[in-house]
Amino acid sequence: MSTTHAGRVVRDPNVTPLIDVMLVLLIIFMIVTPMIESGIAVELPTAEHLDPEQRELPLTISIEAGGEIHF
């Protein structure tokens, strides 16, 4: 809160930083929106599907407190 010459408290919020941020966001969105609408060609990788019989089983490794290793 700030005070005036007479020592009274002025309770009006300072909205200048809010307006600055909103204007910057407006400019950013005005620049980015046309790019999103036009799009960019992207080549995505294709996935190979394996049959369930061809998949390998996961390998489980456990180490005991005595140092024994089990696969």
Side-chain angles (χ1 to χ4, degrees), residues 38-61:
S38 64
I40 299 172
V42 177
E43 293 185 28
L44 298 176
T46 58
E48 296 180 15
H49 299 285
L50 297 176
D51 293 331
E53 294 87 28
Q54 293 178 346
R55 293 184 184 162
E56 297 179 11
L57 295 175
L59 179 63
T60 305
I61 301 173

Side-chain angles (χ1 to χ4, degrees), residues 18-67:
L18 176 66
I19 293 171
D20 291 344
V21 169
M22 295 303 291
L23 288 174
V24 169
L25 287 174
L26 178 66
I27 292 169
I28 290 172
F29 287 134
M30 288 173 63
I31 293 171
V32 171
T33 302
M35 289 184 212
I36 292 173
E37 289 178 359
S38 64
I40 299 172
V42 177
E43 293 185 28
L44 298 176
T46 58
E48 296 180 15
H49 299 285
L50 297 176
D51 293 331
E53 294 87 28
Q54 293 178 346
R55 293 184 184 162
E56 297 179 11
L57 295 175
L59 179 63
T60 305
I61 301 173
S62 61
I63 303 174
E64 294 184 5

